[in-house]
Amino acid sequence: MAKGKDVRVTIILECTNCVRNDIKKESPGISRYITQKNRHNTPSRLELRKFCPYCYKHTIHGEIKK
């Protein structure tokens, strides 16, 4: 039996501050978290406040494409 699209999908959250600062080469890396979201409850892109070890503070991490 073939499955259709799964309701729960794995997503990657990436720090928005590190991405902006990457142009200036101020941050040593980009913080990324792996989590899951329910496609029916949250059809839009997910944004969460998580701790970034490169910025040393809580920043907004947005969903990126794989």
Side-chain angles (χ1 to χ4, degrees):
M1 181 163 80
K3 279 190 171 181
K5 289 189 174 182
D6 292 333
V7 176
R8 251 192 189 305
V9 291
T10 304
I11 59 168
I12 300 172
L13 300 174
E14 187 175 75
C15 180
T16 54
N17 281 354
C18 291
V19 173
R20 284 193 218 123
N21 292 341
D22 194 30
I23 298 167
K24 301 173 191 171
K25 300 292 183 196
E26 289 178 5
S27 86
I30 297 174
S31 171
R32 289 189 174 158
Y33 285 93
I34 297 174
T35 186
Q36 291 183 339
K37 80 169 187 177
N38 189 321
R39 196 177 286 177
H40 292 302
N41 294 341
T42 354
S44 59
R45 290 193 176 254
L46 191 63
E47 285 189 344
L48 296 174
R49 280 185 51 122
K50 305 285 271 179
F51 181 77
C52 177
Y54 301 108
C55 300
Y56 300 109
K57 59 184 175 182
H58 283 84
T59 58
I60 295 176
H61 285 64
E63 181 180 340
I64 60 168
K65 287 189 176 181
K66 290 183 188 178

